[in-house]
Amino acid sequence: MPAMDARDDDPMRSHVDTFVPVLEEIASGKRDLPAVRHPLGFLCLPLVRQGADGVCVHLFGGGPPTAEVPPLHAHSWELRSHVLYGEVGNVRVRVRDDTSTPTHRVFEVRSRSDGVDEIRPTARLVRGEPGPVHHSPAGETYALDAGEFHTTVVTPGRAAATLVLGRSLPGGRDLSLGPLDGPPRRTTRRLYGTEATMRAVRTALGRIHAERRA
């Protein structure tokens, strides 16, 4: 998937027009869709899952990441992420195999249907070199290829949200970078209750509408 800039935003804005009414249904209670508290600290609203394609809204600013979850990760799916409000930073990480002076071990993340993620060390040792932070303000879209290591940065205490379109690729694996001697571990993606989800979505919608009026 090629990198995108502001000229590529119009198709994503049409997706915003499509999915804001879905958020309105969740906020009003017409649609019961509990948010998922991701171990990396954001709320995920999984709006669509059709075969290899998925659409989610990510709400940032609701809590810190789980301490034991490495923030440097790579998805098994390619994505386009449109910033609905706030500002989201994205750091791409250059990774190369290095058994002499490695900085990280690669871990495989296997997500179970019950919300548990199994994070297992692999034999692969690498050197990871983070690049500069690319800040995307509201209205901007960025893209990531499947397998590209990155981390998302949102200023603590600041709210932000993204509309994410993803497409899983055959043979892809979810990966993270962790300590060289890191053990296997588990994390859990916990469901928000209905009322808590409705409150979070109402707050997000207020910010989305304010941004669109600006």
Side-chain angles (χ1 to χ4, degrees):
M1 182 183 293
M4 301 180 70
D5 57 28
R7 292 171 298 178
D8 299 302
D9 284 352
D10 285 343
M12 289 298 286
R13 291 196 181 103
S14 69
H15 288 298
V16 175
D17 293 337
T18 297
F19 289 107
V20 162
V22 178
L23 295 178
E24 299 278 8
E25 291 180 355
I26 296 169
S28 67
K30 292 181 180 179
R31 179 179 296 210
D32 185 14
L33 183 69
V36 179
R37 166 63 67 187
H38 194 282
L40 289 177
F42 59 85
L43 284 183
C44 174
L45 291 157
L47 303 182
V48 174
R49 179 60 61 87
Q50 295 178 342
D53 296 326
V55 179
C56 298
V57 168
H58 291 171
L59 305 179
F60 299 90
T66 304
E68 67 268 19
V69 179
L72 303 178
H73 58 279
H75 302 288
S76 59
W77 34 276
E78 59 186 10
L79 67 84
R80 285 181 294 162
S81 187
H82 182 80
V83 182
L84 298 169
Y85 59 80
E87 183 177 85
V88 175
N90 187 55
V91 179
R92 287 177 165 84
V93 182
R94 180 174 175 266
V95 172
R96 57 184 175 84
D97 292 322
D98 187 337
T99 57
S100 300
T101 56
T103 58
H104 299 86
R105 182 178 297 277
V106 175
F107 288 71
E108 182 175 4
V109 183
R110 297 186 180 181
S111 298
R112 299 183 345 201
S113 59
D114 61 357
V116 172
D117 292 337
E118 301 274 1
I119 305 174
R120 303 176 180 178
T122 71
R124 186 182 176 195
L125 301 178
V126 300
R127 174 165 289 275
E129 299 174 355
V133 181
H134 174 77
H135 294 282
S136 296
E140 186 170 297
T141 300
Y142 63 89
L144 285 169
D145 290 328
E148 183 175 8
F149 282 94
H150 79 113
T151 186
T152 301
V153 181
V154 176
T155 302
R158 299 288 182 87
T162 56
L163 176 67
V164 182
L165 276 62
R167 174 168 293 173
S168 296
L169 299 183
R173 296 190 299 167
D174 293 315
L175 304 173
S176 67
L177 299 184
L180 298 175
D181 58 352
R185 58 199 180 282
R186 292 179 177 179
T187 61
T188 302
R189 289 166 281 122
R190 303 189 182 280
L191 291 180
Y192 251 34
T194 299
E195 289 297 325
T197 297
M198 291 170 62
R199 287 194 299 270
V201 175
R202 287 190 199 113
T203 299
L205 279 168
R207 291 169 172 152
I208 291 170
H209 291 317
E211 185 63 43
R212 300 181 90 183
R213 288 193 298 267

